[in-house]
Amino acid sequence: MPATKDTAPARAAGKPAAKPVAKQTTPVQKTIESKLAKLGLRTDMDLVLHLPMRYEDETEIVPIREACLRGGHVSQVEGIVTKNEITYKPRKQLLVSIADETSDIQLRFMNFYGSQVKQLAEGTRVRARGEVRHGFFGAEMVHPVYKVVNEGAPLPNSLTPVYPAGEGLSQTVLRRAIADAMKRVDWTDTVPRAVREQLSLAEFQPAVRLLHYPPPDVDENALIEKTHPAWTRVKFDELLAQQLSLKRAQNARREKGAPQLTTVGTLSSAFLEALPFKLTRAQARVVEEISKDLREGYPMQRLLQGDVGSGKTVVAALAAAQAIDSGYQAALMAPTEILAEQHFRKIAAWMEPLGVKVAWLTGSLKKKEKQAASDMAESGEANLVIGTHALIQDTVQFAKLGLVLVDEQHRFGVGQRLTLRNKGSDGLVPHQLMMSATPIPRTLAMTYYADLEVSVIDELPPGRTPIVTRAIDQNRRDEVIERVHAAALEGRQVYWVCPLIEESEALQLQTATDTFETLAASLPDLVVGLVHGRMKPAEKQVIMDAFSRGEVHVLVATTVIEVGVDVPNASLMVIEHAERFGLSQLHQLRGRVGRGQAASVCLLLYQSPLGQVAKQRLMTMRETTDGFEIARRDLEIRGPGEFLGARQSGEAMLRFANLETDQWIVEQARDVAAWLLGSDRAEAEAVVDAHLLRWLGGREEFLKV
Ligand code: ADP
Ligand code: MG
């Protein structure tokens, strides 16, 4: 083991980029490299920081007799093959017995190769590891891990790591790649000695080495629970990197120029006056927060969170009004045509009477119309441009873009948001307001997005009746159809959401069509409509319009209606195979009802038997309609990585630390980050560079947006 060097940041910081994995040449190595890359393991340091999820103890051999007595435990034994036979009853299998001085045990293989039969010939010495069971013919191991050894072959002197692996990557290959990387990597400790001493932190190299190769006498529980001091060090490093990048990104943003949108003028006040309702207290508060940011000379980057139906659109429109009042343009981008069009209609209806010119730009427009919309943006004739991804195309330019609004921002990739933000002029970066109804717990939002202010609308407009949610077994479908019928006769409208079939879009479409046909047949006196993702936008719009006008009673839909659709008269929702949906998706879907005055109902049809997780989800849905509570439980069920998805966070930033249980480490990391960045010594900056390079590699840029 090379000695751990103390902080020598100048050396580490001098490097321009993370060192790639040493040159590999053979085709086999190439495939391994690409498989490693799929796991995000590109550099030696990536490999070194790919830490085990658990360990196997191969450090001792237990006498066979003792292993048999222990029973039900995983043990490693060694013996000479005394019997090797293939039996055919009840099915073909290979039975091998091994014996040591104390006893013998049978190894049973249900799947095996001819070569294994030869390899395990009588008289061979075998080391086998597996769970000992007591079968009809005495003690046995089924499909043990085994190898042929010479007498006295050495045992490993540390626990054997088991790594998170990807498809086609064996533990052996991973272990070797990591062991090789450990020899090459630069072990410089990026945390200054003074900090380590003050916080009693372990040194970097010994900590990481221990996690890969723990000595047999280690406190294994502490390893598994991630409470071992070696884990604390790794978590600290990870959190420090996060805090550093957060603060740096904030500083960098404050150095950029943005148009100062200082006028809250005639448009804003006329708009507020014309609204058919009063803002809720929460809306008024976030409008004020946003308004204040927009006056600043550096770009706002704010996430507006609010549960479905909390009224984010008005808030966005008011922000746009401030931009327009100040002589700038605003752009609003939504992830689907349906949603964009809905915004367009609503906002145009609010604002055009007040003299605002609103342009509409989506991919489905005819070339000429697109050109016209794009010209309006470029000439400045349009004050507000609303659309889909089409807004971010190179050909679309803005005369004076002051504010970018992104609805359902989690539906967009980081790159897409960045492109729109780059459409400012005169070297100024437009302000950005992102909206999301997928409520991300505040701590998570702050730590996953490197640099983001958060505003929360934590109150629904008055007069909403709560949604009653029931879970119903699929085999009571007929009763449900009956209920749909009754509701429709009372003048209520119904959504019928088709099952999610992730593996096959074609199958999903098929199911939707089938459902539509059976429902239309069972409800001959009602108008049943169908909307799905494969329809042309214009076709979708026709159906959605008819539904909005109340001409369609029952709307059969795939998850295309998940976001944003707003039809207040719809008050019954049926979700088929609810067990296949995630919590936040269910919540989003359910949010389509409960928007009007009528008491709303959501029926979750499920296929029994339900798995544990599905049961938990449906129970949560029945118990609460509070999006934040649902998000919290979702996080609990799924863990933060999956919760956010790689798409949202660039790559999930926290792999080791847990924001709930490791809050104390977060605080330490925050203090140290502030101290390092506050110092104007060149060494401190070099420490920061080296630490960020090690932990974030090239990802830091990505996390800023
Ligand atoms: P979301 O936050 O899900 O985007 P919307 O902005 O679509 O919600 O608002 C949901 C509905 O509530 C819309 O019909 C909107 O006009 C209405 N609304 C918004 N704010 C208020 C308010 N303060 N009082 C009454 N209704 C409101
Ligand atoms: Mg919305």
Side-chain angles (χ1 to χ4, degrees):
M1 194 198 289
T4 308
K5 288 179 216 96
D6 203 1
T7 316
R11 208 167 79 72
K15 293 203 188 82
K19 212 195 315 176
V21 175
K23 264 276 158 281
Q24 309 272 14
T25 40
T26 70
V28 174
Q29 283 164 329
K30 274 245 155 59
T31 19
I32 292 178
E33 251 182 53
S34 81
K35 281 176 183 161
L36 289 172
K38 267 197 194 136
L39 285 180
L41 307 176
R42 291 180 190 87
T43 65
D44 282 338
M45 191 47 90
D46 291 342
L47 282 163
V48 166
L49 294 175
H50 191 63
L51 295 169
M53 50 185 183
R54 61 185 178 83
Y55 304 89
E56 279 170 359
D57 189 352
E58 294 174 345
T59 60
E60 63 164 2
I61 288 173
V62 182
I64 292 178
R65 196 178 119 80
E66 201 185 311
C68 295
L69 285 176
R70 275 192 208 169
H73 285 273
V74 174
S75 307
Q76 177 166 256
V77 297
E78 186 174 311
I80 307 286
V81 176
T82 55
K83 183 186 86 177
N84 172 320
E85 65 177 28
I86 296 174
T87 62
Y88 292 89
K89 278 183 207 155
R91 49 177 283 197
K92 188 175 170 189
Q93 43 188 309
L94 171 64
L95 301 177
V96 173
S97 291
I98 60 170
D100 64 7
E101 308 80 60
T102 63
S103 185
D104 60 3
I105 187 166
Q106 178 167 282
L107 314 180
R108 183 196 293 270
F109 300 90
M110 258 85 87
N111 300 302
F112 57 94
Y113 297 108
S115 58
Q116 278 177 295
V117 182
K118 286 201 203 105
Q119 189 190 24
L120 294 167
E122 275 176 39
T124 311
R125 177 175 286 270
V126 173
R127 206 171 268 176
R129 193 172 168 282
E131 188 182 321
V132 180
R133 291 206 225 152
H134 291 280
F136 193 65
F137 297 104
E140 64 172 14
M141 286 182 185
V142 179
H143 278 276
V145 178
Y146 73 91
K147 61 182 169 199
V148 171
V149 292
N150 293 321
E151 184 162 12
L155 286 162
N157 51 22
S158 60
L159 301 179
T160 308
V162 179
Y163 295 107
E167 207 175 317
L169 252 187
S170 71
Q171 288 295 323
T172 321
V173 169
L174 256 176
R175 279 176 198 147
R176 181 159 320 135
I178 291 168
D180 287 348
M182 303 264 291
K183 288 183 208 135
R184 289 188 298 254
V185 91
D186 174 5
W187 285 103
T188 310
D189 201 317
T190 50
V191 175
R193 179 191 291 273
V195 172
R196 292 198 312 261
E197 280 173 0
Q198 200 191 345
L199 301 177
S200 309
L201 282 174
E203 285 176 45
F204 181 67
Q205 188 186 23
V208 171
R209 182 167 288 276
L210 181 135
L211 293 176
H212 283 290
Y213 311 118
D217 63 350
V218 78
D219 178 352
E220 217 175 318
N221 251 342
L223 278 191
I224 300 302
E225 302 283 325
K226 294 203 171 76
T227 54
H228 192 284
W231 271 123
T232 306
R233 168 61 207 255
V234 165
K235 290 175 180 182
F236 175 84
D237 274 26
E238 179 177 51
L239 290 165
L240 178 62
Q242 186 184 51
Q243 293 296 327
L244 287 171
S245 75
L246 175 80
K247 292 227 160 63
R248 267 207 175 166
Q250 262 166 5
N251 295 342
R253 178 159 62 92
R254 288 192 156 75
E255 273 158 28
K256 286 197 192 114
Q260 287 182 271
L261 310 176
T262 48
T263 317
V264 179
T266 46
L267 176 60
S268 304
S269 42
F271 175 68
L272 271 179
E273 212 140 283
L275 269 185
F277 46 75
K278 244 184 83 204
L279 294 186
T280 62
R281 217 178 319 150
Q283 281 170 319
R285 189 190 67 239
V286 302
V287 164
E288 204 33 61
E289 286 169 6
I290 294 164
S291 175
K292 192 159 158 281
D293 277 9
L294 294 179
R295 290 167 224 249
E296 298 286 353
Y298 58 88
M300 167 175 86
Q301 190 153 287
R302 193 171 271 279
L303 176 67
L304 173 58
Q305 290 199 333
D307 211 346
V308 282
S310 61
K312 294 183 289 296
T313 316
V314 191
V315 174
L318 274 163
Q322 183 169 340
I324 298 166
D325 265 337
S326 309
Y328 280 86
Q329 293 170 296
L332 167 58
M333 178 164 74
T336 65
E337 295 245 348
I338 290 190
L339 194 53
E341 171 121 21
Q342 218 166 53
H343 282 317
F344 174 66
R345 282 164 189 246
K346 191 164 229 169
I347 294 175
W350 281 335
M351 291 203 166
E352 277 181 346
L354 306 174
V356 174
K357 189 83 196 147
V358 188
W360 164 239
L361 181 56
T362 74
S364 69
L365 289 180
K366 297 211 183 69
K367 211 168 162 215
K368 250 191 177 156
E369 300 168 316
K370 233 185 270 179
Q371 191 57 50
S374 176
D375 287 347
M376 280 171 71
E378 191 163 350
S379 67
E381 188 192 343
N383 307 108
L384 175 59
V385 185
I386 299 180
T388 55
H389 304 83
L391 283 181
I392 59 178
Q393 275 162 7
D394 291 344
T395 49
V396 183
Q397 303 290 334
F398 291 83
K400 244 184 141 188
L401 186 58
L403 171 66
V404 164
L405 303 155
V406 182
D407 197 15
E408 306 293 343
Q409 62 85 27
H410 58 285
R411 292 288 188 108
F412 291 99
V414 175
Q416 292 173 315
R417 278 193 273 129
L418 186 63
T419 314
L420 192 49
R421 222 185 56 175
N422 286 342
K423 290 193 184 281
S425 41
D426 305 329
L428 296 178
V429 178
H431 299 279
Q432 181 168 231
L433 180 67
M434 296 169 274
M435 291 172 265
S436 178
T438 304
I440 301 161
R442 193 185 274 264
T443 48
L444 202 59
M446 299 295 239
T447 38
Y448 269 80
Y449 297 88
D451 173 26
L452 199 65
E453 320 282 348
V454 182
S455 287
V456 182
I457 307 183
D458 50 6
E459 170 186 19
L460 292 179
R464 302 264 168 91
T465 37
I467 306 167
V468 175
T469 303
R470 302 226 178 293
I472 298 179
D473 195 306
Q474 174 78 20
N475 62 27
R476 290 170 56 197
R477 206 161 180 267
D478 289 346
E479 286 169 50
V480 173
I481 294 178
E482 211 23 68
R483 204 154 161 179
V484 165
H485 191 218
L489 291 185
E490 280 172 25
R492 298 160 58 184
Q493 286 176 280
V494 184
Y495 291 105
W496 188 293
V497 181
C498 295
L500 179 71
I501 303 172
E502 274 181 341
E503 315 81 63
S504 158
E505 207 194 330
L507 201 57
Q508 172 147 350
L509 191 62
Q510 183 59 47
T511 315
T513 318
D514 290 349
T515 309
F516 166 67
E517 277 162 12
T518 42
L519 279 180
S522 357
L523 302 166
D525 54 335
L526 300 182
V527 181
V528 182
L530 171 65
V531 59
H532 59 71
R534 281 284 186 85
M535 285 163 97
K536 293 217 181 72
E539 296 170 335
K540 272 190 249 179
Q541 199 54 53
V542 169
I543 302 283
M544 291 312 298
D545 285 347
F547 191 63
S548 297
R549 287 194 302 265
E551 293 161 12
V552 169
H553 302 113
V554 181
L555 184 64
V556 177
T558 55
T559 49
V560 296
I561 62 151
E562 182 184 339
V563 286
V565 175
D566 187 27
V567 180
N569 191 47
S571 62
L572 174 58
M573 170 167 286
V574 180
I575 303 179
E576 268 198 87
H577 278 289
E579 78 278 0
R580 293 189 193 162
F581 292 88
L583 257 184
S584 68
Q585 216 171 6
L586 287 173
H587 179 65
Q588 289 279 306
L589 285 168
R590 182 172 60 182
R592 301 309 110 215
V593 295
R595 299 187 152 233
Q597 301 295 325
S600 291
V601 175
C602 177
L603 303 178
L604 304 172
L605 288 185
Y606 64 86
Q607 171 98 57
S608 45
L610 280 177
Q612 202 48 44
V613 171
K615 213 176 261 173
Q616 248 175 309
R617 277 198 221 119
L618 297 190
M619 190 151 34
T620 300
M621 288 299 291
R622 272 171 27 214
E623 284 171 7
T624 178
T625 50
D626 175 346
F628 285 85
E629 176 62 18
I630 287 175
R632 201 187 57 72
R633 298 217 203 158
D634 201 17
L635 183 63
E636 229 171 64
I637 299 175
R638 289 200 287 168
E642 218 186 311
F643 180 87
L644 284 164
R647 187 156 138 218
Q648 232 190 130
S649 48
E651 264 172 56
M653 252 178 106
L654 287 181
R655 289 177 288 162
F656 308 121
N658 173 326
L659 290 174
E660 291 199 355
T661 54
D662 297 328
Q663 196 53 44
W664 63 282
I665 312 179
V666 177
E667 273 151 35
Q668 289 182 340
R670 189 180 296 152
D671 291 347
V672 173
W675 177 72
L676 281 172
L677 291 176
S679 154
D680 30 282
R681 298 198 341 257
E683 288 137 281
E685 196 175 324
V687 168
V688 173
D689 285 340
H691 192 77
L692 285 176
L693 181 61
R694 170 169 294 174
W695 280 91
L696 299 181
R699 280 180 291 148
E700 203 200 350
E701 282 303 311
F702 216 49
L703 290 159
K704 278 185 196 162
V705 289

